[in-house]
Amino acid sequence: MNTTPTNAWTPSLVALDIDGTLMVPSGHISYEVRRAIDLARVAGHHLVLATGRSLTGLLPVAARLGLTDGYAVASNGALVIRLDADVPDGYRYVSAELFDPDRVIRRATQLAPDVCVAVEEPSWGWRVSGQFDPDTLPGEHKRTSVTDLSAAHAIRVVLCGSGIGRHLDALRTTGMTVTPVGPDWLDVTGAGVSKATALESFGRSWGSRTRPRSRSATGPTTSTP
Protein backbone atom coordinates (compact mmCIF):
# COMPACT_ATOMS: atom_id res chain seq x y z
CA MET A 1 0.00 0.00 0.00
CA ASN A 2 1.36 3.42 -0.95
CA THR A 3 1.27 5.77 2.03
CA THR A 4 3.08 8.69 0.36
CA PRO A 5 0.90 11.82 0.64
CA THR A 6 -0.29 13.02 -2.75
CA ASN A 7 -0.13 16.66 -1.63
CA ALA A 8 3.39 16.57 -0.15
CA TRP A 9 4.90 20.05 0.01
CA THR A 10 7.81 20.90 -2.26
CA PRO A 11 9.52 24.27 -2.55
CA SER A 12 8.90 26.65 -5.42
CA LEU A 13 11.38 28.54 -7.56
CA VAL A 14 10.52 32.23 -7.07
CA ALA A 15 12.06 34.54 -9.68
CA LEU A 16 12.21 38.18 -8.65
CA ASP A 17 12.92 41.13 -10.91
CA ILE A 18 14.40 44.18 -9.20
CA ASP A 19 13.49 47.42 -10.93
CA GLY A 20 9.77 48.09 -11.00
CA THR A 21 9.03 44.92 -9.01
CA LEU A 22 11.05 44.80 -5.79
CA MET A 23 12.30 48.38 -6.03
CA VAL A 24 10.64 51.63 -7.11
CA PRO A 25 12.56 54.13 -9.29
CA SER A 26 13.78 56.05 -6.23
CA GLY A 27 15.55 52.90 -5.00
CA HIS A 28 13.15 52.30 -2.10
CA ILE A 29 12.25 48.72 -1.14
CA SER A 30 9.08 48.63 0.94
CA TYR A 31 8.62 46.86 4.25
CA GLU A 32 5.95 44.66 2.65
CA VAL A 33 8.36 43.48 -0.05
CA ARG A 34 11.09 42.75 2.50
CA ARG A 35 8.67 40.83 4.70
CA ALA A 36 7.34 38.77 1.78
CA ILE A 37 10.90 37.83 0.82
CA ASP A 38 11.76 36.88 4.40
CA LEU A 39 8.63 34.71 4.69
CA ALA A 40 9.37 32.94 1.39
CA ARG A 41 12.93 32.20 2.52
CA VAL A 42 11.79 30.88 5.91
CA ALA A 43 9.27 28.66 4.10
CA GLY A 44 12.13 27.09 2.13
CA HIS A 45 11.42 28.45 -1.33
CA HIS A 46 14.30 29.10 -3.76
CA LEU A 47 14.55 32.87 -4.40
CA VAL A 48 16.33 33.92 -7.58
CA LEU A 49 16.95 37.56 -8.42
CA ALA A 50 16.56 37.89 -12.20
CA THR A 51 17.42 41.31 -13.57
CA GLY A 52 18.76 43.33 -16.45
CA ARG A 53 21.23 44.90 -14.03
CA SER A 54 24.90 44.15 -14.29
CA LEU A 55 26.55 42.13 -11.54
CA THR A 56 27.86 45.32 -9.94
CA GLY A 57 24.27 46.62 -9.90
CA LEU A 58 22.74 43.38 -8.60
CA LEU A 59 25.03 42.63 -5.65
CA PRO A 60 24.17 45.71 -3.54
CA VAL A 61 20.46 44.93 -3.87
CA ALA A 62 21.00 41.31 -2.83
CA ALA A 63 22.88 42.60 0.23
CA ARG A 64 20.05 45.01 1.12
CA LEU A 65 17.57 42.12 0.96
CA GLY A 66 19.77 39.89 3.10
CA LEU A 67 20.25 37.37 0.29
CA THR A 68 23.62 35.75 0.89
CA ASP A 69 23.01 32.35 -0.69
CA GLY A 70 21.17 30.93 -3.68
CA TYR A 71 21.31 31.81 -7.35
CA ALA A 72 20.93 35.10 -9.22
CA VAL A 73 20.56 36.02 -12.90
CA ALA A 74 22.17 39.26 -14.09
CA SER A 75 22.75 41.12 -17.36
CA ASN A 76 19.39 40.14 -18.92
CA GLY A 77 20.17 36.44 -18.54
CA ALA A 78 23.76 36.46 -19.78
CA LEU A 79 25.28 35.84 -16.35
CA VAL A 80 24.32 33.39 -13.60
CA ILE A 81 25.99 33.43 -10.20
CA ARG A 82 25.69 31.57 -6.92
CA LEU A 83 25.63 33.86 -3.89
CA ASP A 84 27.99 32.46 -1.27
CA ALA A 85 28.90 34.31 1.94
CA ASP A 86 31.83 31.94 2.51
CA VAL A 87 33.90 33.15 -0.47
CA PRO A 88 35.78 36.48 -0.53
CA ASP A 89 33.67 38.20 -3.20
CA GLY A 90 30.37 36.86 -1.85
CA TYR A 91 29.53 34.95 -5.04
CA ARG A 92 30.74 32.31 -7.49
CA TYR A 93 30.21 32.26 -11.25
CA VAL A 94 27.89 29.54 -12.55
CA SER A 95 27.60 30.38 -16.25
CA ALA A 96 28.27 33.19 -18.68
CA GLU A 97 26.77 33.50 -22.17
CA LEU A 98 29.54 35.08 -24.23
CA PHE A 99 29.09 36.31 -27.80
CA ASP A 100 31.13 38.03 -30.50
CA PRO A 101 29.99 41.69 -30.48
CA ASP A 102 31.88 42.80 -33.58
CA ARG A 103 29.01 42.60 -36.05
CA VAL A 104 26.45 44.44 -33.90
CA ILE A 105 28.93 47.15 -32.85
CA ARG A 106 30.03 47.74 -36.45
CA ARG A 107 26.41 47.96 -37.57
CA ALA A 108 25.56 50.36 -34.74
CA THR A 109 28.41 52.70 -35.62
CA GLN A 110 27.36 52.65 -39.28
CA LEU A 111 23.78 53.58 -38.38
CA ALA A 112 24.69 56.05 -35.64
CA PRO A 113 28.32 57.21 -35.91
CA ASP A 114 28.15 59.08 -32.58
CA VAL A 115 26.92 56.08 -30.59
CA CYS A 116 28.72 55.35 -27.32
CA VAL A 117 29.51 51.69 -26.68
CA ALA A 118 30.04 49.94 -23.36
CA VAL A 119 31.05 46.31 -22.79
CA GLU A 120 30.31 44.77 -19.41
CA GLU A 121 33.16 43.42 -17.30
CA PRO A 122 31.29 41.50 -14.58
CA SER A 123 33.86 41.65 -11.80
CA TRP A 124 34.43 45.40 -11.84
CA GLY A 125 32.32 47.43 -14.27
CA TRP A 126 32.59 48.49 -17.91
CA ARG A 127 34.95 49.21 -20.78
CA VAL A 128 33.54 52.24 -22.61
CA SER A 129 34.15 54.20 -25.79
CA GLY A 130 32.68 57.46 -24.47
CA GLN A 131 31.23 59.23 -21.46
CA PHE A 132 28.57 57.36 -19.47
CA ASP A 133 26.77 58.55 -16.35
CA PRO A 134 28.03 56.34 -13.47
CA ASP A 135 24.56 56.49 -11.91
CA THR A 136 23.08 54.76 -14.95
CA LEU A 137 26.05 52.47 -15.57
CA PRO A 138 27.29 51.36 -12.11
CA GLY A 139 30.87 50.25 -11.59
CA GLU A 140 34.30 51.36 -12.73
CA HIS A 141 34.65 52.76 -16.27
CA LYS A 142 37.77 52.22 -18.38
CA ARG A 143 37.99 54.19 -21.62
CA THR A 144 39.05 52.34 -24.77
CA SER A 145 38.41 52.38 -28.52
CA VAL A 146 35.43 50.91 -30.35
CA THR A 147 37.91 48.68 -32.18
CA ASP A 148 39.10 47.20 -28.90
CA LEU A 149 35.53 46.75 -27.66
CA SER A 150 34.71 44.80 -30.82
CA ALA A 151 37.73 42.53 -30.60
CA ALA A 152 36.85 40.28 -27.65
CA HIS A 153 33.83 38.19 -26.72
CA ALA A 154 31.39 39.91 -24.36
CA ILE A 155 28.68 39.21 -21.80
CA ARG A 156 26.67 42.27 -22.73
CA VAL A 157 27.00 45.42 -24.81
CA VAL A 158 25.27 48.75 -24.22
CA LEU A 159 24.62 51.11 -27.13
CA CYS A 160 23.82 54.66 -26.08
CA GLY A 161 23.14 57.62 -28.34
CA SER A 162 20.47 60.02 -29.44
CA GLY A 163 17.67 58.10 -31.17
CA ILE A 164 19.56 54.76 -31.24
CA GLY A 165 16.28 53.02 -30.46
CA ARG A 166 14.94 53.70 -33.93
CA HIS A 167 17.56 51.32 -35.29
CA LEU A 168 16.29 48.42 -33.15
CA ASP A 169 15.04 46.29 -36.04
CA ALA A 170 18.18 46.83 -38.13
CA LEU A 171 20.41 45.82 -35.22
CA ARG A 172 18.33 42.71 -34.56
CA THR A 173 19.18 41.49 -38.05
CA THR A 174 22.69 40.78 -36.69
CA GLY A 175 21.16 37.81 -34.86
CA MET A 176 21.83 39.18 -31.39
CA THR A 177 19.22 39.79 -28.69
CA VAL A 178 18.71 43.58 -28.69
CA THR A 179 16.55 44.94 -25.88
CA PRO A 180 15.32 48.56 -25.83
CA VAL A 181 15.71 50.35 -22.51
CA GLY A 182 14.66 53.73 -23.90
CA PRO A 183 14.85 55.75 -27.12
CA ASP A 184 18.55 56.40 -26.54
CA TRP A 185 19.63 53.08 -25.00
CA LEU A 186 19.84 49.49 -26.24
CA ASP A 187 21.14 46.40 -24.45
CA VAL A 188 22.70 43.60 -26.50
CA THR A 189 23.25 39.99 -25.42
CA GLY A 190 23.92 36.81 -27.35
CA ALA A 191 21.38 35.15 -29.63
CA GLY A 192 18.45 33.75 -27.67
CA VAL A 193 19.76 35.00 -24.30
CA SER A 194 17.23 36.48 -21.89
CA LYS A 195 16.15 36.32 -18.27
CA ALA A 196 13.47 33.85 -19.33
CA THR A 197 15.91 31.42 -20.95
CA ALA A 198 18.20 31.56 -17.92
CA LEU A 199 15.28 30.82 -15.61
CA GLU A 200 14.15 27.95 -17.82
CA SER A 201 17.51 26.31 -17.20
CA PHE A 202 16.81 26.49 -13.47
CA GLY A 203 13.41 24.93 -14.02
CA ARG A 204 14.99 21.99 -15.85
CA SER A 205 17.81 21.45 -13.37
CA TRP A 206 15.58 21.81 -10.30
CA GLY A 207 12.52 20.13 -11.76
CA SER A 208 12.77 17.11 -9.49
CA ARG A 209 13.14 19.28 -6.38
CA THR A 210 10.66 22.10 -6.96
CA ARG A 211 7.06 22.47 -7.98
CA PRO A 212 6.54 22.30 -11.73
CA ARG A 213 4.74 25.64 -11.58
CA SER A 214 7.69 27.73 -10.51
CA ARG A 215 6.48 31.16 -9.53
CA SER A 216 7.74 34.33 -11.14
CA ALA A 217 7.56 37.95 -10.11
CA THR A 218 9.68 39.21 -12.94
CA GLY A 219 8.84 42.48 -14.56
CA PRO A 220 8.87 43.53 -18.20
CA THR A 221 11.84 42.85 -20.45
CA THR A 222 13.75 46.02 -19.71
CA SER A 223 17.11 46.65 -18.16
CA THR A 224 18.76 48.80 -15.58
CA PRO A 225 22.53 48.45 -15.84
Side-chain angles (χ1 to χ4, degrees):
M1 179 178 179
N2 184 0
T3 59
T4 302
T6 57
N7 61 345
W9 181 88
T10 55
S12 290
L13 173 62
V14 183
L16 300 168
D17 198 1
I18 294 175
D19 297 284
T21 302
L22 299 182
M23 180 186 292
V24 298
S26 67
H28 177 66
I29 302 174
S30 70
Y31 167 79
E32 291 78 11
V33 167
R34 293 175 184 272
R35 177 166 172 77
I37 288 174
D38 289 342
L39 289 173
R41 292 178 65 198
V42 170
H45 298 297
H46 301 291
L47 304 185
V48 178
L49 293 178
T51 179
R53 287 177 173 239
S54 63
L55 182 58
T56 53
L58 178 151
L59 291 174
V61 178
R64 288 176 61 186
L65 294 171
L67 299 176
T68 58
D69 59 8
Y71 292 88
V73 176
S75 307
N76 274 338
L79 188 66
V80 178
I81 63 164
R82 178 75 182 262
L83 297 167
D84 186 344
D86 293 330
V87 300
D89 291 330
Y91 66 91
R92 293 182 282 112
Y93 291 109
V94 175
S95 65
E97 299 289 344
L98 296 169
F99 71 102
D100 183 351
D102 179 64
R103 186 179 179 193
V104 71
I105 291 175
R106 282 193 292 108
R107 185 67 176 133
T109 57
Q110 291 166 356
L111 294 166
D114 294 330
V115 67
C116 288
V117 181
V119 171
E120 183 177 345
E121 295 289 347
S123 61
W124 53 264
W126 301 82
R127 292 184 295 124
V128 300
S129 69
Q131 186 70 34
F132 281 86
D133 183 348
D135 290 333
T136 57
L137 208 63
E140 183 181 354
H141 294 184
K142 290 186 178 179
R143 192 76 169 259
T144 189
S145 68
V146 170
T147 300
D148 286 344
L149 294 176
S150 302
H153 282 66
I155 292 281
R156 177 169 59 144
V157 170
V158 167
L159 303 172
C160 183
S162 178
I164 190 67
R166 67 176 178 268
H167 302 300
L168 176 64
D169 290 340
L171 291 169
R172 282 178 170 168
T173 65
T174 64
M176 301 300 102
T177 301
V178 185
T179 304
V181 181
D184 302 329
W185 192 292
L186 298 173
D187 269 7
V188 184
T189 52
V193 174
S194 68
K195 289 182 289 186
T197 58
L199 290 168
E200 285 172 7
S201 70
F202 284 118
R204 289 191 296 270
S205 62
W206 288 356
S208 61
R209 293 175 285 155
T210 60
R211 293 179 183 176
R213 297 187 304 276
S214 297
R215 299 175 180 178
S216 174
T218 55
T221 308
T222 58
S223 166
T224 298

